Amino acid sequence: MNLQERPVDYARIDLRIFEKSPVWSDKYLSQINLQQRPYDFQIELVQSVIQSQKNTIICVRTGSGKTYVAALLIKYYYMKKMISSRQRFLSFFFIPHRAIRDQQALAIESVGDLRVSACDDDSFVSEYIRRSDVIVCTPQKFLNCLLQERSLRMTDIDLMIFDECHNCIGSHPYSQIMKQCLLHYQQHQLPRIIGMTASCSTKITNMQQLFHSLSDDDVRKGSAIANLYQLCATINCQAISAVTKRDQLLELEKKISRPTQDEIVCVDSKPFDQHTKKFKETLIYLMKEIRKKCSPKITSTDIEQQLVEQKQDAEKKGEFTNVILIKYLIMLVKRLDAITDLPLNSLIIDLINRVDSFYNKKETPIEVEIQVYELCQNKLNSLIEQLKESVFYFTNPKLDLLSKLIRKHTAEREDARGTLYGTVKPCWLVGQSGTDFTKTINEQDETLKDFRKGLCNVMVATDVVQEGLDVPQCSYVVRYEFVSSEIGTVQARGRARTQNSAYYLITTSDSQNYMREKINRLKEKQMDEALEEWKQMSPDELKQNIAKKQVNKKKFIKEEIVNGWQHEEEQTNAASSMLTDTPPDGKVSCRSCGYYLGKLEWLRRRNTCYFVQKQHVLERVEIELKLEPKQIKDIQINGKVRCGNTQCREELGGAQEFLNRKDMKEICALKCNQLKFSYINKESGRENIIVGKKWTELPFRIVELETRPPRRS
């Protein structure tokens, strides 16, 4: 990244102005090399954090420029260290999603002087440490550096900023970072921590019960501040920073617009439901017929997660026929769940294509699959003939309303731009962990650039864009039958940035999403009430109440964050101590069909790549070569690897070459969630079968590949 010229004489900079003065003159802005004048409410936030002299959560609504406030604080602590010692300064800015990485890095770089690096997907955090003042990265990247590479310590860091810190719950990487901080370091060894959020929350439990409790003013207000305590305790913050001065609050309201239209739009689905009846009946019939062919029989269910668990059980037991049949059932259930959201023709044709693709990748499908394939094709094509004259064959009421809203906003203003969660395809963006992810990071960046420039005026996206995406021209947001937490509601609404913008949720009045959104709006109110209560509280009282969530006292054993982490780590360490240093005598197989791929002892890893080192595996698989190999740093990706069983041909990973290991031929980088590992337990004499999602979940350590080729004797 290009750097602005650094001030040379830091001794001439008067930090007292930065710390206390409500007015920053043009001369002072020039002296500290600041090109953009902060709003007065942003100066209040900055000085509130500095004056607290404690770890702080900045709590201010979406669109108020939290990233710019964070950049100013980074610059302040950088200048302060340069003035006092001239020693190396290092800070981390954590982002919840990779999609906004470059955007946030540019925002931080805009304050001048700082060497800002955005850690890309193909690099390690450790590569940037020596040449950066600020590293923008996902928390998982930071954790990998901290735990796996062991090339970084908390004592090396001056400042850590957690963007959208409300994510610091459960097993999120934010929580894992704080776990390392609070369990393994003394307070004086830790960097300063700043969290940023527009909301804080607790998890949804029973919706009806939660709705009634939040609707009760006394009950809601009683629990409001407790949620804020919980967040502060988890992220080890003892202070909260918010806009409190009257003039600054008025400025915030004036400068940061809210949607003028904020609606839950409920659609009458009864007419459409009459037309979906035949489709539902067909899917239920097909599922019933497929279950009849399962041997041994499986439990009747139309819940996707339960089917996934039954498939995993069949994979463990080597019941190949059932594995195939349950995959067909999962395909059908997914379309059954989507009936109310999409046009009938889209669902039917998509299902026909999916069934076709799944079947045709096999060279010699088993007999029962031939029967199921022909049954599905015949019934679905017959269904098209029955429904193609239906008024709702190419649409549904929710889609009609969506189209109406898009036409309305496009007609009102030429530069209208909107974000949709759920349907339509002018341009699209999904997270890399999504099942539909196919775009590289560069392609994601190009999509965002096109949207910002107006080359695309509607973006269809998952919730990956609801946190932190900054498109000032976005004039409306539509959530299409999608609701997460109240955080999602606040964040999604905040994407509509223009004056007279709009925010909609399209759903039906009898849906769970309608109830969730009503709850979310009450939780927003609860957050506002928590901040109001906080404003009346002394700093000492706040600190004491937060401490109760962290201290090691038996009466708090069920609520304590630190004690909970301590117990979790003890369990992890106990499990780790049982790991064998090398894999036992066993085998690696395709999870779906049990096809043998190689010995466990042949497994090797290099960074995050796991593979069978022996060339034997290349004789057991099929490789689909790319038209052009793709190179990422020192790895060349040549194509896909499929199971060598012609009745299966599941994708097992990728064909790769290590460009800096010319002694090695092509290897198969394997996906753990497509494999099965088995070995004989020496004590019981029984076969142990392991299926897991991650390589790190295996009960043995996998030998790391040598960095250099072994010397020949």
Side-chain angles (χ1 to χ4, degrees):
M1 292 184 177
N2 294 325
L3 298 174
Q4 298 181 36
E5 187 179 350
R6 289 169 168 266
V8 177
D9 190 0
Y10 290 100
R12 295 180 59 192
I13 297 174
D14 186 356
L15 287 184
R16 291 174 298 178
I17 296 174
F18 214 109
E19 296 164 348
K20 296 178 180 179
S21 176
V23 178
W24 295 1
S25 67
D26 290 342
K27 182 180 179 181
Y28 187 69
L29 293 176
S30 176
Q31 186 183 16
I32 62 174
N33 195 18
L34 198 62
Q35 308 298 316
Q36 177 186 336
R37 176 177 293 279
Y39 291 127
D40 289 347
F41 70 81
Q42 292 175 327
I43 292 176
E44 181 190 350
L45 290 169
V46 166
Q47 293 177 345
S48 171
V49 173
I50 294 171
Q51 291 168 19
S52 75
Q53 298 183 344
K54 299 169 185 171
N55 294 343
T56 304
I57 291 179
I58 299 172
C59 196
V60 64
R61 80 171 194 242
T62 297
S64 57
K66 290 190 294 293
T67 305
Y68 189 58
V69 170
L72 291 171
L73 285 164
I74 294 171
K75 180 161 186 169
Y76 168 79
Y77 289 113
Y78 167 79
M79 292 190 299
K80 187 175 182 180
K81 189 165 187 179
M82 292 300 102
I83 291 170
S84 64
S85 66
R86 287 262 181 187
Q87 292 180 356
R88 190 171 68 88
F89 177 86
L90 179 62
S91 63
F92 281 88
F93 187 98
F94 301 129
I95 51 170
H97 300 293
R98 288 169 281 198
I100 62 171
R101 178 181 55 215
D102 291 342
Q103 168 193 295
Q104 304 301 69
L106 286 170
I108 297 168
E109 191 179 37
S110 71
V111 300
D113 304 328
L114 300 168
R115 298 175 300 170
V116 183
S117 298
C119 180
D120 61 55
D121 279 14
D122 304 322
S123 301
F124 299 102
V125 166
S126 55
E127 298 174 34
Y128 299 94
I129 291 174
R130 293 295 172 190
R131 52 188 170 92
S132 307
D133 302 316
V134 188
I135 300 175
V136 181
C137 65
T138 61
Q140 189 60 57
K141 278 281 187 182
F142 177 82
L143 271 175
N144 293 345
C145 184
L146 197 67
L147 300 178
Q148 296 176 14
E149 302 165 53
R150 302 287 180 183
S151 54
L152 182 66
R153 297 171 300 175
M154 288 292 178
T155 50
D156 299 327
I157 307 167
D158 295 280
L159 176 66
M160 295 194 304
I161 294 183
F162 292 72
D163 193 12
E164 313 296 358
C165 67
H166 48 259
N167 288 298
C168 194
I169 57 173
S171 58
H172 191 278
Y174 277 177
S175 296
Q176 298 304 310
I177 291 173
M178 292 312 305
K179 177 180 173 181
Q180 292 301 313
C181 286
L182 298 179
L183 290 186
H184 301 294
Y185 292 88
Q186 299 294 321
Q187 286 288 342
H188 69 275
Q189 297 176 308
L190 293 174
R192 185 177 297 276
I193 293 172
I194 297 173
M196 302 193 300
T197 184
S199 50
C200 65
S201 72
T202 54
K203 293 182 180 179
I204 291 179
T205 53
N206 181 284
M207 283 200 293
Q208 290 292 343
Q209 187 178 12
L210 187 58
F211 179 74
H212 288 305
S213 66
L214 289 171
S215 300
D216 186 312
D217 288 350
D218 292 335
V219 174
R220 185 184 63 251
K221 290 177 182 178
S223 61
I225 197 71
N227 295 348
L228 205 51
Y229 291 156
Q230 184 77 14
L231 181 59
C232 288
T234 308
I235 204 167
N236 199 33
C237 288
Q238 296 84 39
I240 296 167
S241 177
V243 181
T244 58
K245 297 176 182 177
R246 183 177 179 276
D247 289 346
Q248 274 75 322
L249 284 168
L250 290 173
E251 182 189 43
L252 178 62
E253 289 296 325
K254 182 180 177 181
K255 299 293 184 184
I256 312 300
S257 62
R258 291 177 186 250
T260 52
Q261 291 175 266
D262 183 358
E263 302 177 34
I264 303 176
V265 188
C266 292
V267 175
D268 182 8
S269 63
K270 290 180 182 177
F272 180 65
D273 291 343
Q274 298 299 316
H275 291 78
T276 62
K277 187 177 179 181
K278 285 186 179 294
F279 187 28
K280 287 183 179 178
E281 289 173 348
T282 299
L283 293 183
I284 290 169
Y285 169 79
L286 289 172
M287 292 172 69
K288 183 179 178 181
E289 291 301 306
I290 292 172
R291 284 194 194 94
K292 287 180 181 178
K293 299 179 184 296
C294 289
S295 179
K297 291 183 178 180
I298 64 169
T299 306
S300 178
T301 179
D302 58 1
I303 298 174
E304 183 181 347
Q305 183 56 40
Q306 291 178 0
L307 285 169
V308 169
E309 290 168 1
Q310 291 188 29
K311 178 172 75 73
Q312 190 175 77
D313 187 54
E315 289 167 345
K316 280 186 177 182
K317 295 176 179 177
E319 297 165 355
F320 182 46
T321 299
N322 275 11
V323 172
I324 290 176
L325 295 177
I326 295 172
K327 285 182 179 179
Y328 277 92
L329 290 173
I330 291 172
M331 276 192 274
L332 296 171
V333 162
K334 283 184 175 180
R335 275 71 196 172
L336 189 64
D337 291 340
I339 281 178
T340 61
D341 298 335
L342 298 169
L344 292 174
N345 77 311
S346 296
L347 287 166
I348 300 170
I349 292 172
D350 174 66
L351 182 53
I352 289 173
N353 291 338
R354 291 293 178 106
V355 169
D356 216 30
S357 174
F358 184 64
Y359 175 80
N360 287 328
K361 74 180 180 183
K362 294 29 175 331
E363 291 180 17
T364 54
I366 60 177
E367 181 61 31
V368 70
E369 184 174 11
I370 296 172
Q371 296 169 11
V372 168
Y373 171 74
E374 291 176 349
L375 176 66
C376 289
Q377 291 290 338
N378 291 337
K379 292 295 289 185
L380 292 172
N381 282 301
S382 173
L383 186 63
I384 289 176
E385 292 301 313
Q386 295 176 52
L387 295 177
K388 65 182 181 181
E389 302 302 325
S390 163
V391 66
F392 287 115
Y393 184 60
F394 290 103
T395 187
N396 74 24
K398 284 187 284 191
L399 277 176
D400 289 341
L401 175 59
L402 179 64
S403 299
K404 182 180 177 181
L405 289 173
I406 292 174
R407 287 196 299 269
K408 171 180 178 289
H409 284 281
T410 304
E412 285 177 351
R413 50 195 299 172
E414 292 182 1
D415 63 342
R417 248 162 281 177
T419 304
L420 307 178
Y421 298 88
T423 185
V424 184
K425 269 195 173 182
C427 69
W428 61 271
L429 192 67
V430 302
Q432 286 191 303
S433 59
T435 54
D436 296 320
F437 174 75
T438 56
K439 291 189 176 184
T440 65
I441 285 293
N442 287 336
E443 289 170 333
Q444 283 186 326
D445 290 342
E446 287 303 312
T447 298
L448 289 171
K449 287 176 184 175
D450 289 347
F451 187 58
R452 288 192 177 100
K453 292 175 183 176
L455 299 177
C456 305
N457 68 351
V458 177
M459 177 186 288
V460 184
T462 59
D463 59 351
V464 68
V465 301
Q466 76 184 14
E467 290 188 320
L469 177 66
D470 183 20
V471 182
Q473 305 90 338
C474 184
S475 50
Y476 64 97
V477 170
V478 183
R479 290 184 123 195
Y480 186 80
E481 200 62 270
F482 175 80
V483 179
S484 51
S485 65
E486 79 280 8
I487 292 166
T489 295
V490 172
Q491 299 292 342
R493 186 192 293 127
R495 297 312 111 207
R497 296 290 178 88
T498 63
Q499 292 291 331
N500 300 318
S501 58
Y503 168 81
Y504 306 96
L505 166 66
I506 297 178
T507 186
T508 55
S509 58
D510 59 347
S511 69
Q512 282 195 331
N513 280 334
Y514 178 78
M515 178 60 74
R516 284 196 184 102
E517 187 74 350
K518 297 287 282 186
I519 289 172
N520 288 347
R521 288 166 187 251
L522 286 169
K523 283 190 169 185
E524 281 187 79
K525 189 174 182 180
Q526 186 183 45
M527 177 62 181
D528 292 336
E529 291 166 346
L531 286 175
E532 287 303 314
E533 188 174 345
W534 158 75
K535 291 175 184 177
Q536 310 303 319
M537 196 179 300
S538 70
D540 287 341
E541 185 182 358
L542 177 67
K543 184 177 180 180
Q544 289 171 10
N545 289 330
I546 292 170
K548 288 180 181 179
K549 291 287 182 181
Q550 291 180 308
V551 294
N552 189 5
K553 295 179 181 177
K554 290 184 179 179
K555 63 180 179 180
F556 291 116
I557 191 68
K558 292 183 179 178
E559 302 152 22
E560 283 175 7
I561 295 164
V562 174
N563 280 6
W565 283 338
Q566 189 109 36
H567 179 65
E568 179 186 300
E569 181 153 284
E570 287 170 0
Q571 290 183 316
T572 302
N573 290 340
S576 179
S577 66
M578 297 175 68
L579 292 178
T580 56
D581 288 333
T582 55
D585 185 15
K587 59 184 181 180
V588 182
S589 310
C590 168
R591 185 179 294 193
S592 289
C593 67
Y595 185 72
Y596 174 73
L597 297 171
K599 294 183 179 182
L600 281 178
E601 64 186 45
W602 295 346
L603 281 172
R604 292 291 182 274
R605 72 175 178 88
R606 191 183 196 196
N607 297 325
T608 57
C609 176
Y610 292 79
F611 57 97
V612 175
Q613 189 176 28
K614 298 285 185 180
Q615 292 299 300
H616 163 87
V617 73
L618 292 173
E619 301 168 9
R620 306 286 298 173
V621 298
E622 294 181 21
I623 296 177
E624 290 183 10
L625 293 175
K626 290 176 176 282
L627 292 176
E628 292 185 12
K630 181 180 178 182
Q631 188 171 327
I632 302 175
K633 300 196 106 176
D634 58 354
I635 294 176
Q636 179 174 294
I637 302 172
N638 298 327
K640 294 180 180 179
V641 172
R642 293 193 179 277
C643 174
N645 179 357
T646 58
Q647 295 179 328
C648 176
R649 299 196 74 243
E650 279 292 318
E651 186 180 337
L652 302 179
Q656 299 183 359
E657 290 180 57
F658 296 129
L659 299 178
N660 56 357
R661 285 295 303 269
K662 297 297 184 183
D663 60 305
M664 294 180 64
K665 297 180 181 178
E666 193 171 49
I667 59 102
C668 297
L670 300 169
K671 297 179 180 179
C672 185
N673 61 359
Q674 293 290 77
L675 304 174
K676 179 164 60 177
F677 310 93
S678 55
Y679 59 93
I680 302 298
N681 187 304
K682 293 181 179 179
E683 294 182 4
S684 66
R686 296 178 180 176
E687 185 179 35
N688 280 9
I689 298 175
I690 302 165
V691 292
K693 290 183 179 180
K694 300 179 181 179
W695 289 98
T696 52
E697 294 174 354
L698 300 183
F700 46 79
R701 294 184 177 87
I702 296 174
V703 179
E704 187 166 3
L705 182 71
E706 304 92 339
T707 306
R708 297 177 180 177
R711 291 183 179 179
R712 294 182 179 179
S713 56

